[in-house]
Amino acid sequence: AQRVTQPEKLLSVFKGAPVELKCNYSYSGSPELFWYVQYSRQRLQLLLRHISRESIKGFTADLNKGETSFHLKKPFAQEEDSAMYYCALKDTDKLIFGTGTRLQVFP
Amino acid sequence: DADVTQTPRNRITKTGKRIMLECSQTKGHDRMYWYRQDPGLGLRLIYYSFDVKDINKGEISDGYSVSRQAQAKFSLSLESAIPNQTALYFCATSDWGGRAQETQYFGPGTRLLVL
């Protein structure tokens, strides 16, 4: 079955520390993966998509088909990165979301 | 700015009552979605629609129904609300730019409490 797993409910780091939010997926075809973010009192919004291979707000994510992972990384966390992060997998016509990881960045 | 709006933003209702949550969009997108968000469970898809004549069940459609009144409007109904339908409900639209390019745009959410 198609599935997205985010093993960490909460990740706490200090400002300037590296961040890695884990995402693993289960999918029988060629996966299309996304990261969505929800900042406090803001709407859920797209952060980045794997097809674009881009860096957004300093975040990158690399698709590793061998490990079926799509971890989100940032070398130096900022306080404004504190938010809820969701990994999502495109399954035919819809998105399957993981359970989310809350990132807290302390000053 | 083109937007996705939801009404009401907050609602308290009683078990057994019928309730409708409304979603409107000015983005001109054909695709619309309803999700519920629960702590620890993430977002789960309830229903989705690709045009006015197209309605599809999602992962957790039991106890819910939808109506796509126009391209811009997609309503979610709880025919007989029960307490475990207490959740945050999100409407979303998407621009179909190809499977990998699609972006979903979310509304602000409706917080529903069923007593």
Side-chain angles (χ1 to χ4, degrees), chain A residues 27 32 36 43 49 86 90, chain B residues 3-4 37 101-103:
Chain A
Y27 189 66
E32 298 297 346
Y36 278 77
R43 303 184 187 194
R49 52 172 71 90
Y86 290 97
K90 192 70 187 292
Chain B
D3 201 8
V4 182
Q37 184 183 47
Q101 298 295 334
E102 181 180 358
T103 298

Side-chain angles (χ1 to χ4, degrees), chain A residues 9 13 19 43 53 57 60-61 70 72 77 92 98-101 103:
Chain A
K9 288 187 177 181
V13 300
V19 170
R43 303 184 187 194
R53 300 181 183 276
K57 300 185 178 183
T60 59
F70 187 57
L72 185 67
T92 312
T99 52
T101 298
L103 174 64

Side-chain angles (χ1 to χ4, degrees), chain A residues 8 21 39 45 53 60 69-70 73-74 80 83:
Chain A
E8 304 142 326
L21 290 88
Y39 300 102
Q45 59 188 282
R53 300 181 183 276
T60 59
S69 68
F70 187 57
K73 300 178 183 180
K74 185 170 182 176
E80 54 265 30

